[in-house]
Amino acid sequence: MKLADIPVHAAAPADPLDGFRWPTDDFTRTPYRVFTDEAIYQREMERIFRGPVWNYLALEAEVPEPGSYKTVQIGNVPVVVSRNMQGEVTAFVNRCAHRGATVVRQEFGRAEGHACIYHQWNYDSSGDLCGVPYRRGLNGCGGYPKDFKPAEHGLQKLRVALYKGLVFGSFADEPPELLAYLGTNIVTHLDRIFVKPLKVLGYHRQRISANWKLYFENIKDPYHAGLLHTFMATFGVYRSTQKGHTLLSPGGGHAVVYSVTNTDSVESVVEAYQGTDNKYQTDFALQEPGLLQWSPDFHDGIGNLIVSVFPNMVVHQILNTFATRQVRPLGTGAMELYWTYFGFEDDAAERTAARLQQLNLVGPAGYISMEDGEAIRLVQQSITGESRDATSFIEMGGRGPIVDADHVVTEVCTRGLWQQYARTMGFAPEAAA
Ligand code: FES
Ligand SMILES: [Fe+2]
């Protein structure tokens, strides 16, 4: 047989995800396979992060001046958020259009343009190619072909949309309108926080040994918070006995969870925590009460508010702390959580100091996120190697329709996440597609 006779177009291998569907229409079960399967992870990068969504990129306050830039990560793609020299916020992939080197190597900075160190292709602050060494060759030798057009070799751009100082980006050619994507519940609660110009206070980066979706499940589940975070319950920062709400976006992927401080009684708390191995202690006190001194920024009594936007954004207010968190997947079994703390430009020095003191509660070295990271690591650890059909059980708050609740003893927002996820990934059962 000659080489030319060998058929080269063998049938394409079957997609390992063909036929994979969610086991229940109301998303009360989640197959553990979605946290460990490499083919699913690759599909997520394509269909979710590079699909028809708005990813959270940064705060406008992080790129305050012409030329200011910040490097971030969307799905598994490195991205630069840049305020160009005309003052517009832009975003582009941080991968040289020549042979792929990382162009911007600093985390933050200010520059009129960016040069790739490998062969010195030069890009402006919008990511457009503006200079190429040896373009016409040297001494009549080499150079690019005559039809080489720099305008066709800029850095790949994302679509950008701004809302109240938040910067979102999309890889889709025709993404949905941003406010329609967010939905009324999300917009209403972003409006509550983003009322005036922001001041960036600092950053935390947290590496978590768990799949990125385990974190998104966690942030949408208010019922774990009063149990896992004993400190929060003990000192009344958050308890499931407090008045609160869980609110969803139309597709279910975004959520608002909040609680109103001082709306429960000692008796109701003691009763609620019966059977929880003495999680709630009535006789504890802080040696440094300043840590929890709360001087409300708003007048609605909300002490704990979490807004989560699929697929990568969390905004929180916990007492006087505010932060955005960007979820950065690092493969099936790891992720980074990137925290940006902020206050307001017109904060007095004492208020800024109070925010800085209080944020020690919430980051990876505080009580809250350290505990969440460990809880979801424990999940990842025990499901690796699990049978492909095993699932979690998500029925707190009931089965059936995925709708808002006027309490926080529910996993309905977690079911909402899985609804939007399964639809975006092509995994929804027919009845729920
Ligand atoms: S890879 Fe960037 S200039 Fe060659
Ligand atoms: Fe938590």
Side-chain angles (χ1 to χ4, degrees):
M1 185 186 261
K2 295 187 305 233
L3 195 58
D5 296 332
I6 299 173
V8 289
H9 295 296
D15 185 334
L17 302 178
D18 275 355
F20 176 58
R21 292 288 177 273
W22 232 252
T24 53
D25 292 349
D26 60 0
F27 301 92
T28 49
R29 302 288 184 279
T30 290
Y32 287 132
R33 178 182 172 186
V34 301
F35 302 116
T36 58
D37 187 310
E38 182 61 32
I40 290 176
Y41 181 78
Q42 293 304 334
R43 189 186 281 198
E44 289 167 357
M45 297 303 113
E46 177 194 330
R47 292 205 187 179
I48 296 177
F49 293 98
R50 297 199 297 275
V53 304
W54 284 105
N55 295 284
Y56 166 63
L57 297 182
L59 294 173
E60 266 199 88
E62 293 176 274
V63 286
E65 297 166 359
S68 299
Y69 64 84
K70 178 184 182 191
T71 53
V72 300
Q73 184 184 316
I74 301 306
N76 57 359
V77 178
V79 167
V80 180
V81 187
S82 167
R83 192 179 289 275
N84 66 19
M85 299 314 288
Q86 293 72 47
E88 299 152 349
V89 180
T90 62
F92 44 83
V93 174
N94 195 8
R95 183 191 311 117
C96 186
H98 177 219
R99 295 234 306 270
T102 299
V103 178
V104 181
R105 292 168 298 140
Q106 287 76 24
E107 192 175 347
F108 302 96
R110 190 170 167 220
E112 290 190 12
H114 305 282
C116 176
I117 61 162
Y118 200 172
H119 314 87
Q120 290 294 321
W121 279 32
N122 273 259
Y123 302 93
D124 68 16
S125 55
S126 299
D128 292 322
L129 184 61
C130 54
V132 178
Y134 314 148
R135 180 177 167 189
R136 295 187 177 80
L138 288 176
N139 303 321
C141 302
Y144 281 113
K146 283 205 168 46
D147 60 1
F148 173 82
K149 296 188 183 68
E152 292 174 357
H153 299 278
L155 300 175
Q156 183 191 347
K157 292 186 182 171
L158 282 74
R159 307 216 176 261
V160 167
L162 308 176
Y163 187 69
K164 302 261 169 111
L166 293 159
V167 184
F168 295 89
S170 180
F171 284 94
D173 288 333
E174 293 182 6
E177 199 266 324
L178 177 62
L179 294 191
Y181 180 74
L182 296 173
T184 309
N185 281 334
I186 302 303
V187 171
T188 302
H189 289 85
L190 293 179
D191 287 351
R192 173 182 172 277
I193 291 178
F194 294 92
V195 289
K196 50 189 173 177
L198 306 183
K199 175 160 68 182
V200 175
L201 298 182
Y203 298 95
H204 274 143
R205 298 177 74 160
Q206 181 176 6
R207 175 80 180 242
I208 299 177
S209 299
N211 184 276
W212 68 275
K213 301 184 297 299
L214 284 171
Y215 183 73
F216 238 68
E217 263 201 336
N218 167 275
I219 202 68
K220 288 170 183 294
D221 153 20
Y223 119 82
H224 85 276
L227 298 166
L228 173 67
H229 305 307
T230 316
F231 181 96
M232 303 274 277
T234 302
F235 294 100
V237 180
Y238 176 89
R239 287 193 287 253
S240 299
T241 44
Q242 293 169 344
K243 287 200 169 76
H245 279 81
T246 46
L247 309 170
L248 292 130
S249 57
H254 323 319
V256 176
V257 177
Y258 70 81
S259 65
V260 182
T261 305
N262 294 326
T263 49
D264 53 0
S265 62
V266 172
E267 296 73 39
S268 69
V269 179
V270 169
E271 186 187 334
Y273 280 83
Q274 271 176 15
T276 61
D277 194 21
N278 288 331
K279 280 291 174 202
Y280 178 61
Q281 306 281 344
T282 53
D283 55 352
F284 277 18
L286 288 181
Q287 279 197 350
E288 169 43 58
L291 183 66
L292 291 180
Q293 254 160 30
W294 181 33
S295 167
D297 288 279
F298 311 113
H299 301 292
D300 50 17
I302 294 177
N304 197 305
L305 171 79
I306 304 282
V307 179
S308 55
V309 175
F310 182 79
N312 77 334
M313 179 174 97
V314 177
V315 178
H316 90 233
Q317 174 231 322
I318 298 173
L319 302 182
N320 285 120
T321 69
F322 298 100
T324 63
R325 311 176 197 172
Q326 186 179 59
V327 175
R328 300 177 173 180
L330 298 173
T332 55
M335 58 164 281
E336 183 182 67
L337 194 57
Y338 187 99
W339 303 64
T340 303
Y341 295 94
F342 62 90
F344 298 109
E345 225 172 65
D346 64 0
D347 284 345
E350 306 78 61
R351 184 160 287 250
T352 297
R355 295 195 203 285
L356 287 168
Q357 184 185 19
Q358 219 166 59
L359 68 78
N360 289 299
L361 266 184
V362 297
Y367 287 110
I368 296 172
S369 210
M370 174 190 65
E371 292 165 341
D372 288 324
E374 175 61 2
I376 65 174
R377 187 195 68 79
L378 289 170
V379 178
Q380 189 80 31
Q381 177 174 277
S382 68
I383 61 173
T384 300
E386 183 54 270
S387 100
R388 290 172 87 74
D389 297 329
T391 70
S392 59
F393 173 79
I394 314 176
E395 294 194 6
M396 178 58 80
R399 307 187 194 100
I402 295 172
V403 292
D404 297 347
D406 58 359
H407 59 84
V408 288
V409 198
T410 176
E411 291 173 307
V412 72
C413 296
T414 302
R415 293 198 288 128
L417 161 69
W418 292 122
Q419 176 177 264
Q420 182 148 350
Y421 173 84
R423 286 175 178 167
T424 311
M425 292 284 285
F427 294 157
E430 249 164 53

